[in-house]
Amino acid sequence: MLVFSTLIYFAFRNRFNPAAHKRLILIATIALLDAAFVRWPIHVAWWDLRLAQMCCYPLLLLLIGYDLWSTRKVHRATLWASVFLIVLYQVRIPIGRTVPWQSFATSVQNLARSFH
């Protein structure tokens, strides 16, 4: 959700630059797709979150290919948003397994339960 909201914020800031806005919205949508890919009904041991994330990378490559085909260069919004998405995809699982993050998640869950 952090990746999606950040990309949507920058898309909102670039709403008067149609090319950047469209690319940021598209990459924000791609950022949400890993949740859909991980829910595919594939019942094998090797299908996990890391592999589901890899399904998003070809979509980024298609967008880069479109940029190269249409403008002969990669748009700046495509480049930076793709790098942002890939870096955060790669660091979120190791960070999510750390003790500080686990204690933060537990405290948030306990806080959420107190509201019920």
Side-chain angles (χ1 to χ4, degrees):
M1 296 306 295
L2 174 68
V3 177
F4 177 77
S5 59
T6 303
L7 290 172
I8 291 297
Y9 169 75
F10 283 111
F12 179 75
R13 298 268 320 256
N14 284 301
R15 66 189 180 274
F16 298 112
N17 179 358
H21 177 79
K22 291 174 190 178
R23 284 165 174 81
L24 289 167
I25 291 290
L26 185 60
I27 294 172
T29 305
I30 291 171
L32 292 177
L33 286 178
D34 67 327
F37 287 135
V38 82
R39 286 176 176 83
W40 278 356
I42 299 174
H43 303 289
V44 291
W46 49 265
W47 184 257
D48 63 352
L49 181 61
R50 288 182 191 249
L51 194 60
Q53 290 173 358
M54 297 298 241
C55 293
C56 295
Y57 296 155
L59 299 173
L60 294 174
L61 288 175
L62 283 173
L63 181 58
I64 290 169
Y66 172 76
D67 280 351
L68 291 173
W69 174 75
S70 63
T71 62
R72 304 281 190 256
K73 62 180 180 155
V74 178
H75 195 279
R76 189 172 50 144
T78 302
L79 178 68
W80 287 110
S82 297
V83 167
F84 177 68
L85 180 65
I86 291 169
V87 167
L88 286 182
Y89 268 5
Q90 295 303 313
V91 300
R92 73 178 179 180
I93 292 176
I95 289 174
R97 292 182 178 153
T98 61
V99 174
W101 182 261
Q102 292 294 321
S103 64
F104 169 73
T106 303
S107 65
V108 169
Q109 286 178 342
N110 292 335
L111 181 65
R113 286 188 193 123
S114 69
F115 290 129
H116 288 296

